[in-house]
């Protein structure tokens, strides 16, 4: 199996789908000749031309509206946000248009559109470039939301998102683009509504997604050395949630820690807690613990920035404290 970087897997997914379907095209700022802010579209314009790698002005609401309109006519646009935080300027086009038109048109229109790009807390990018927007879009009807975490799932999920007939918010973490992994040469797609069982365990379930998967894996190594057996689930699908996988794990461990980079107030974790209480409350032996970003703008200072988001030692402490309450 070839070794690929995260951004190369994204590029390969788009190239394969563009070869397969002439209706697929990419648009956004600097996606053509420059190759995208993190090189996910590098050199694609040489094969597909400037109309299918469409460089746009710095006007997110305009080119997102263009993408929605083109999707209504049968094209399959892939919007690259130079930074997902900039797409707040296009919230109306994504939410009121992209998310709702299939319903409000009585099914006359499909909106096969992917909105992808970098987000999350990077390394001293400042507050406006460190946005985690999954919680913002989680409340919009009609959108599917996935968050990538590995080279393997980035490619398989993006191919599936491009083929889906609904708008898909496709989140990538800004610090994962240089991840390396062996991935299959043969074509594969991954479901947009399934979580991944990263590691099975018996003592406690940890639910996470995105870059926090890697923080959790680091914490699990330390916990294993202390004879604590953690079950780790990468949610991947944030909307809809894979409640079946979550419930199956809870029925075994009876304890849950949620680790997310999103803000704690109104974040994805809050929806997960509500869903667990609604569907699996009787299986819990302890209150659900939630680790999330602090409700502050992300500081530029590196040491302060690190304190805003959950770190591996925070995860270790939360799991140990939860298990200390066992009777």
């Amino acid at each position: 199996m070839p070794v690929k970087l995260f951004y190369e897997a994204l590029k390969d997914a788009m190239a394969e789908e563009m070869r397969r379907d002439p209706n697929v095209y990419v648009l956004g700022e600097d996606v053509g000749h420059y190759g995208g802010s993190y090189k996910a579209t590098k050199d694609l314009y040489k094969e597909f031309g400037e109309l299918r790698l469409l460089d746009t002005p710095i006007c997110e609401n305009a080119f997102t509206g263009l993408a929605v309109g083109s999707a209504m006519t049968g094209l399959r646009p892939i919007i690259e946000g130079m930074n997902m935080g900039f797409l707040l300027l296009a919230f109306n086009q994504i939410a009121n248009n992209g998310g709702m038109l299939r319903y409000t048109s009585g099914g006359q229109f499909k909106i096969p559109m992917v909105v992808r790009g970098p987000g999350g807390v990077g390394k001293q990018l400042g507050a406006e470039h460190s946005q985690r927007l999954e919680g913002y879009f989680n409340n919009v009807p009609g959108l599917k939301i996935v968050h990538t975490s590995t080279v393997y799932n980035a490619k398989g999920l993006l191919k599936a998102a491009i083929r889906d007939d609904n708008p898909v918010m496709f989140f990538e973490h800004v610090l994962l683009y240089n991840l390396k992994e062996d991935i299959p040469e043969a074509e594969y797609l991954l479901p947009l509504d399934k979580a991944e069982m990263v590691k099975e365990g018996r003592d406690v379930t940890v639910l996470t997604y995105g870059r926090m998967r890697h923080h959790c894996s680091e914490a699990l190594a330390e916990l294993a050395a202390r004879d604590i057996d953690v079950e780790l689930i990468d949610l991947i699908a944030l909307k809809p949630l894979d409640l079946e996988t979550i419930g199956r794990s809870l029925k075994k461990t009876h304890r849950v820690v949620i680790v997310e980079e999103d803000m704690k107030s109104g974040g994805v974790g809050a929806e997960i807690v509500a869903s667990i209480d609604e569907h699996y409350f009787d299986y819990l032996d302890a209150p659900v613990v939630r680790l999330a970003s602090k409700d502050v703008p992300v500081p530029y200072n590196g040491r302060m920035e690190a304190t805003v988001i959950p770190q591996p030692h925070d995860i270790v402490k939360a799991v140990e404290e939860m298990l200390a309450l066992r009777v």
Side-chain angles (χ1 to χ4, degrees), residues 9 53 78 88 97 108 120 171 251 273 296 306 311:
L53 270 297
I78 306 167
L88 288 175
N97 302 150
Q108 294 180 76
F171 287 95
K251 291 174 183 179
V273 172
V296 297
Q311 299 295 336

Side-chain angles (χ1 to χ4, degrees), residues 25-147:
Y25 76 102
V26 181
L27 74 163
E29 297 151 5
D30 291 334
V31 298
H33 289 263
Y34 187 71
S37 55
Y38 290 90
K39 300 306 178 187
T41 59
K42 183 180 179 182
D43 294 332
L44 290 185
Y45 80 95
K46 294 179 181 178
E47 178 177 352
F48 300 105
E50 295 179 352
L51 283 179
R52 295 185 71 192
L53 270 297
L54 188 60
D55 279 323
T56 66
I58 302 174
C59 192
E60 283 78 8
N61 57 345
F63 68 70
T64 303
L66 183 154
V68 172
S70 70
M72 293 171 70
T73 67
L75 298 182
R76 292 184 173 270
I78 306 167
I79 298 170
E80 175 173 304
M82 184 177 285
N83 182 285
M84 289 299 257
F86 302 162
L87 291 173
L88 288 175
L89 293 165
F91 194 92
N92 178 62
Q93 285 73 22
I94 294 171
N96 283 331
N97 302 150
M100 298 186 187
L101 269 168
R102 189 169 186 178
Y103 175 81
T104 56
S105 71
Q108 294 180 76
F109 298 109
K110 298 176 181 177
I111 313 294
M113 178 178 76
V114 177
V115 182
R116 55 155 294 270
V121 179
K123 288 190 180 295
Q124 295 184 268
L125 298 179
E128 293 181 357
H129 290 71
S130 302
Q131 291 277 32
R132 290 82 77 212
L133 298 184
E134 51 269 27
Y136 286 60
F137 290 105
N138 199 43
N139 198 40
V140 177
L143 299 181
K144 294 185 177 182
I145 303 175
V146 294
H147 206 307

Side-chain angles (χ1 to χ4, degrees), residues 114-326:
V114 177
V115 182
R116 55 155 294 270
V121 179
K123 288 190 180 295
Q124 295 184 268
L125 298 179
E128 293 181 357
H129 290 71
S130 302
Q131 291 277 32
R132 290 82 77 212
L133 298 184
E134 51 269 27
Y136 286 60
F137 290 105
N138 199 43
N139 198 40
V140 177
L143 299 181
K144 294 185 177 182
I145 303 175
V146 294
H147 206 307
T148 56
S149 55
T150 68
V151 180
Y152 176 78
N153 68 35
K155 183 178 182 182
L157 290 167
L158 184 52
K159 287 174 69 70
I162 293 168
R163 297 189 194 186
D164 199 281
D165 284 336
N166 301 284
V168 179
M169 301 300 298
F170 193 91
F171 287 95
E172 305 151 12
H173 198 284
V174 67
L175 293 182
L176 297 185
Y177 284 111
N178 288 318
L179 277 182
K180 289 182 179 180
E181 188 179 349
D182 294 334
I183 61 174
E185 287 189 72
E187 182 179 64
Y188 65 95
L189 281 74
L190 296 175
L192 301 176
D193 59 354
K194 296 295 180 186
E196 178 189 346
M197 178 65 70
V198 180
K199 176 192 171 294
E200 294 194 13
R202 67 174 185 274
D203 293 326
V204 61
T205 297
V206 172
L207 304 175
T208 191
Y209 63 90
R211 182 180 175 232
M212 287 294 111
R213 167 178 174 152
H214 304 280
H215 276 30
C216 289
S217 293
E218 185 178 333
L220 261 61
E222 184 172 341
L223 289 164
R226 304 180 190 186
D227 198 30
I228 297 174
D229 190 12
V230 175
E231 182 146 297
L232 178 60
I233 295 173
D234 184 346
L235 294 167
I236 297 175
L238 304 184
K239 188 176 184 179
L241 286 169
D242 182 1
L243 289 175
E244 183 179 345
T245 297
I246 294 171
R248 190 161 53 244
S249 180
L250 292 186
K251 291 174 183 179
K252 177 170 58 172
T253 66
H254 307 290
R255 293 171 177 81
V256 192
V257 175
I258 300 169
V259 183
E260 61 178 329
E261 197 174 301
D262 198 6
M263 277 69 69
K264 194 168 190 178
S265 295
V268 171
E271 177 63 25
I272 298 168
V273 172
S275 296
I276 289 172
D277 282 349
E278 184 176 349
H279 296 280
Y280 303 109
F281 181 79
D282 288 344
Y283 295 98
L284 292 174
D285 286 345
V288 177
V289 171
R290 191 155 49 109
L291 300 180
S293 289
K294 294 178 174 62
D295 289 323
V296 297
V298 177
Y300 175 76
N301 177 281
R303 278 190 258 182
M304 293 175 68
E305 178 185 66
T307 66
V308 169
I309 63 174
Q311 299 295 336
H313 63 84
D314 298 316
I315 302 166
V316 170
K317 180 181 178 183
V319 171
E320 287 189 321
E321 288 180 351
M322 172 174 276
L323 294 176
L325 298 175
R326 285 186 295 187

